[in-house]
Every structure is written in C-alpha cells, then in structure tokens.
DNA sequence: ACTATTTGTGTAATTAAATTACACAAATGT
DNA sequence: ACATTTGTGTAATTTAATTACACAAATAGT
C-alpha cells in the first residue's frame, strides 16, 4: 500500500541502477513528487527508462502513477493524535492539541457508529407519541441541543435539566413515549434510575452512552459512544461533540423518514426565524 | 492546502464548464486521480483545456500537479467534503455525510482559528470580574456549555437563555465584566443590541461569530467562525461544533493561565462529581 | 436596443513527458 | 571460455498536456 515502505522493503532486491533511483527518492521524497522522470533520472544519474522500470517494480503502472502513490504516502503525515495539553504549552500548542483531539475523537466515533442501531432508533422515534431528552452536566447541553432540533419538526418533545422534573416526566410516561438518556460514562445514578422508571411505565428507553455501562444495561436500545481511557485534567470532553453529531444523525434520519409534507414545515420554521435577523442585503 | 476543500470553497465562483469539471471530480475523486486529462474532460463533457484551466484556478501548476494535490488530499483518510444529504440516502449514506461534513467543518475552523485573538480573549477572561455567555437557539446551547465549563473554575460566570434576563444582565454590567456573545450568522438582532448595551456600560464584548457581521462590528474582540455558503434543509449546523471547540480552547487557555493553585480547584470539582456516579469497580 | 468589451470555451497546433523497442554491456551459470 | 540471463542506455514512438488562437456568450456602456 504505502510506496515509501514498499521501497524500503525491496531496497536490497534492486539492481544497482534502480537502487540509485530508490536512494534519490528516499533522500527527498517531497521533491521527487514534483520532478519529471527526466530530472529524477538525472538526479539519480541513471537513464529515464531505468526510473520507469523502477516504478513498475514498485507495483505501479508507471512514473506518473508512482508519483501519485508517493504523494499519498507522504500525505498521511499527521494522523490526528491525542496529545495531552501541558502546562508549558503555547497558545498555538494547546489550540492545535484540542482541535486534533476533537477531530480524532469524532473520526473514531464515525468509524464505530452502528448504522443498524441508528436506523432502529429512527424507527422508534418516528413512531413515538412523545420524545424526551435527558442528561446532566455536559450531556444536559446535548439534550438541550436535541430539543432545539426536534422542536423544529413540530413533534411533542421535551427536555429538562432538573432532576425532579425528569423523574416526574418519566413517571408520567407511557407506551409509545420515547425517553432518550444521554450520559458519557453511563454511570450517573439519577439517569440509571430514570431509565428504570421509564421502562416500568412502558416507555421505550434509548441510551446515548457507553456500552456495558449500568445505564446501557437498563436501556431498550443503546447507541454506544466510545469512552476514552481516562480524561485528564486539562483535556476537555470531546465526547459531547460525538453525542451532538449522533443527535444530528438521528434528526436527519427522522426528517428523511417523515417525508415531504414534513419538510415543508421545516422550511416554514426556518423562514419564521428570519424575521429576528438583520437582512443580509441591507447592512453595510 | 487541501484541494478538495479548495474546490468546495470556490464552487460558485467557477464558470459553467469549470463547474462541470468540479462536479465530476467531487462525484468520484478516487477515479479522478487515475484518469488522464482527456478522460476527465470527456466525463465532465468539456474540452481538455477547460480541465487544465480549472486546475490552474485551483492554484496548481497544471493537470498532473493537480492530480498530485488531489491524491494527497484523498490520502488523509477520507475526503472530508460537504456532500449534501439527499432524500434517497440510506442510513449509511446520511450518517457518513453528516460525520464528514462535521469533520470537514472542524478541520477548516482549525486552520482558520487565529491564535493571537484566542490569546487576547484569554487575557481578557483571566482579568475579568465576571463572565457572561449569551446566545440564542443552537448558540444558546453553546453558551450553556461554556457556563458548564467555566463554572468549574469557581469564577463568577453566568448564562441566560431568556432575552430579558440577558438584557438586564448587560444593563447591569460594568467595567471589568466580559460578555461573550455567540451567534452563527452574527445577524440576530437581540444579540447585536446586547453588544451595544454592554459596551455602553463599559463591559468588554467578545463575539464568537461571523466576521464582518453586524454583531462582529459591535464587539471589542471577535473570534471569527467561518460561515458556509448556505445551509441546506437537511444539513445540520456543524457550526455549533466549531463554537464548542472554541469554548474548549478558551477554557483550556484560561486554566493554564491561572496557574497551579487554580487547577487544584478543578481537581476538587471533578472529585465532587464522582459521588453521583456508580463506582466503576462495583458494578457488573 | 445595439455595439463594445470582457469573459468563457472549444479546435487545432505545439510542446513536453513518458513509454517502448532495441541494442549493447555486464553479470551469472554451465 | 562461452552461452545465457539480466541490466542499462540510446533513440524512436506514443501519449498526454499545454499553448495559441478563434469564435461564442455574456456583460457593460452608450
């Protein structure tokens, strides 16, 4: 796959002239991708066909194709890595680290997301009488965001931050109601209790939480979010970003499932908001 | 840097024929890097020079150079391109599109973030008597999240969703107070008014909003978030994710600046939360 | 509304690049 | 030492990319 590794690997299987080509490329791969076969041949002190043969030997179709592969190998420079913020970090340092950590976390959750579960959740949501979103702390924010999104759809939806309100809501829930519980760790006691109460009252409980957590075990359906080893002191919780995107996905699936009549409504809401804004054409 | 983003960005600045080329490439970037200028021209139904001109417009030296850049863009795992959600999309389709759109948006804002401004904002925050976070709709969620974060630091911080409360708070603000206003478009009337009120009362106003917007013009300091072309019906607002990360960065900068005594406090808060959770060792 | 100018687009010619064919040289094996 | 394989370069050929130019469309200015 990776051409640079490929070169490295077959280095001693090459002939003398081809070896010269390999050395020239390895010495400065960045400049190699911008040279023509002629300049590279000159640089390696071999003939042009030799360079071409070398490329073929590296399992590429020819010199241009080889350059393409080489470019791709070089591009995989910075895979989003979780580097922790340190006390001595400059603004640039910690800003970059936080962005990278967030990107890494999102990328990981993208790879982990189970679309079958998503689909099942959308199923349940579209058939529900009422939807409730509950969470605490950072997850309360996510619940609030979800409320915001689903509220536009003109469906019965609610979200409370207050524990008592949450409990009352769950106690009053019944068959056809959906309760979505959001928790990063899945260990928040009150949320686990909410799940139990809601289930007792025949509501469907969906958890956006860590797999195999106490909360997950009480849910009818779990959209699992990966939980990183241990969040250190400075690092902000990237997890809530992942939760938000899952809300986005659910909301989108919901809209698509509900059909066209529904989307007219969405458009109407968007239009309605416009009046509270400065017109784009008028300013300046 | 990234050619795919470059294409996406200049999409509406292209002529009709060049747009066809852009569409053809975006439709299948992987196959594009393996085609010659002739096949690509045929695919896009334009002439070869048009393809070449398109490449030049994307700040590359020519077609081969363009392919090189494209290859590099593709190599970074996945092409984070904003492909719009369509009615016919499957679960996998829209899930992927949303994740990619979010990742793309985050990646872009990472490149655009101005650390000097961040530093300035952290300066102001650390020296403030009180911090207020205000926003509406999706941005209210971000304000809430910010409250959540800064509250842990044991500094005077507040956030209201209610417009009247926000106004009263700004009216009562004074020198040394910081008001952080969050708005995606920067055109929300009430927020612009808040900025004016707060400024009149000598508070420092920081905006997390679009550059050159009415709101931005009223702020003492603007942390600018890019504003994408036009958000379509299905696509969720990836912008709030970017805003959240900026909050993360500010909070981190704030902690680092405040020194070690401060961080003990953070640890204490983290410890305090633990009691509301199921112990990791006890369950199962 | 018509003309001038700019801007965009394709055809054909040109140039540059890469590949192939072939010949010779070096190395290896008999 | 000779035959055969393998490697390498020169020159020819092919292919791809670019440039030059002409025409068409759109825009702006009488």
């Amino acid at each position: 796959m990776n051409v640079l590794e490929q070169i490295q690997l077959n280095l001693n299987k090459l002939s003398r002239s081809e070896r010269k080509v390999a050395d020239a490329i390895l010495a400065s791969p960045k400049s190699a991708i911008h040279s023509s076969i002629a300049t590279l041949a000159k640089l390696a002190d071999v003939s042009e066909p030799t360079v071409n043969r070398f490329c073929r030997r590296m399992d590429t179709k020819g010199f241009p194709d080889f350059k393409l592969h080489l470019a791709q190998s070089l591009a995989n420079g910075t895979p989003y890595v979780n580097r922790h913020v340190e006390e001595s970090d400059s603004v640039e340092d910690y800003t970059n680290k936080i962005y990278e950590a967030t990107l890494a976390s999102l990328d990981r959750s993208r790879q982990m997301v189970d679309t079958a579960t998503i689909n099942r959740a959308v199923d349940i949501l579209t058939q529900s009488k009422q939807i409730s979103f509950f969470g605490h702390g950072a997850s309360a924010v996510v619940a609030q965001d979800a409320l915001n999104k689903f509220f536009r759809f003109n469906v019965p939806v609610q979200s409370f931050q207050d524990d008592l309100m949450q409990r009352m809501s769950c106690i009053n829930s019944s068959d056809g109601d959906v309760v979505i519980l959001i928790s990063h760790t899945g260990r928040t006691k009150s949320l686990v209790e909410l799940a139990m109460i809601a289930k007792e009252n025949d509501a469907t409980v969906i958890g956006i939480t860590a797999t195999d957590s106490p909360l997950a075990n009480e849910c009818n359906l779990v959209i699992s979010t990966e939980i990183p080893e241990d969040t250190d002191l400075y690092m902000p919780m990237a997890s809530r970003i992942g939760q938000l995107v899952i809300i986005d996905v659910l909301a989108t699936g919901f809209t698509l499932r509900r059909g066209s009549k529904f989307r007219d409504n969405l458009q109407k809401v968007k239009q309605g908001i416009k009046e509270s804004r400065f017109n784009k054409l008028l300013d300046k």
Side-chain angles (χ1 to χ4, degrees), chain A:
Chain A
M1 219 37 350
N2 190 315
V3 194
L4 277 169
E5 287 173 26
Q6 178 91 353
I7 297 172
Q8 207 84 46
L9 209 75
N10 299 36
L11 211 58
N12 44 7
K13 285 172 189 160
L14 295 172
S15 69
R16 201 149 37 80
S17 294
E18 283 178 6
R19 172 65 188 258
K20 281 202 253 176
V21 179
D23 286 338
I25 291 166
L26 289 175
S28 149
K30 281 147 284 170
S31 65
I33 57 172
H34 292 298
S35 9
S36 70
I37 195 166
T39 49
L40 186 61
K42 212 163 159 186
L43 192 79
D45 191 33
V46 295
S47 71
E48 298 181 22
T50 301
V51 176
N52 198 279
R53 281 188 284 264
F54 167 82
C55 296
R56 294 259 166 81
R57 206 173 293 275
M58 292 299 135
D59 291 325
T60 62
K61 289 185 72 182
F63 184 71
D65 188 46
F66 172 81
K67 283 207 292 186
L68 241 47
H69 281 264
L70 188 60
Q72 286 184 313
S73 303
L74 289 176
N76 286 321
T78 18
Y80 305 132
V81 187
N82 255 306
R83 292 172 301 146
H84 284 206
V85 173
E86 280 154 42
E87 209 163 331
S88 57
D89 279 351
S90 71
V91 204
E92 288 82 14
D93 287 340
Y94 67 74
T95 303
N96 257 318
K97 283 180 181 177
I98 290 168
Y99 268 100
E100 278 180 20
T102 312
L103 280 163
S105 155
L106 249 188
D107 203 48
R108 216 176 314 127
S109 64
R110 172 176 63 153
Q111 280 158 6
M112 292 183 71
V113 71
D114 179 29
T115 47
T117 310
I118 295 283
N119 208 28
R120 190 85 192 80
V122 172
D123 267 345
I124 294 168
L125 285 174
T126 45
Q127 285 157 29
S128 69
K129 283 197 331 237
Q130 185 179 46
I131 309 170
S132 309
F133 293 97
F134 300 134
H136 279 132
S139 301
V141 172
V142 178
Q144 182 68 33
D145 187 71
L147 176 73
N148 220 300
K149 281 219 137 51
F150 280 83
F151 197 77
R152 294 178 180 222
F153 303 158
N154 195 25
V155 290
V157 58
Q158 59 179 12
S159 173
F160 302 111
Q161 327 253 103
D162 187 274
D163 190 43
L164 268 174
M165 294 290 278
Q166 293 176 348
R167 268 165 203 274
M168 287 194 282
S169 169
C170 287
I171 289 167
N172 289 330
S173 67
S174 61
D175 188 49
D177 288 349
V178 179
V179 177
I180 300 193
L181 300 175
I182 305 157
S183 167
H184 172 53
T185 57
R187 304 181 176 283
T188 313
K189 284 177 189 165
S190 69
L191 274 198
V192 180
E193 284 161 22
L194 284 184
M196 292 163 84
I197 298 169
K199 265 211 305 193
E200 263 171 38
N201 291 286
D202 300 319
T204 309
V205 180
I206 300 178
I208 300 180
T209 189
T211 332
D212 288 331
S213 62
L215 176 57
N217 295 334
E218 293 296 329
C219 292
N220 297 112
L221 187 73
V222 178
I223 301 173
S224 61
T225 51
E226 115 284 13
I227 173 166
E229 275 322 296
D230 64 319
T231 41
D232 89 314
L233 191 59
Y234 304 118
M235 267 314 190
M237 298 253 285
S239 62
R240 72 201 197 294
I241 308 276
Q243 293 167 350
L244 283 170
V245 178
I246 285 174
I247 295 293
D248 281 346
V249 173
L250 289 179
T252 305
F254 190 85
T255 329
L256 290 176
R257 197 71 70 81
R258 279 294 185 101
S260 57
K261 207 190 290 175
F262 206 68
R263 288 188 285 276
D264 296 342
N265 203 75
L266 236 178
Q267 196 74 59
K268 239 161 57 192
V269 175
K270 280 211 173 184
Q271 210 64 37
I273 295 172
K274 278 201 179 152
E275 279 158 42
S276 67
R277 300 227 170 98
F278 282 112
N279 193 308
K280 199 161 189 175
L281 299 166
L282 292 177
D283 67 7
K284 196 170 253 188

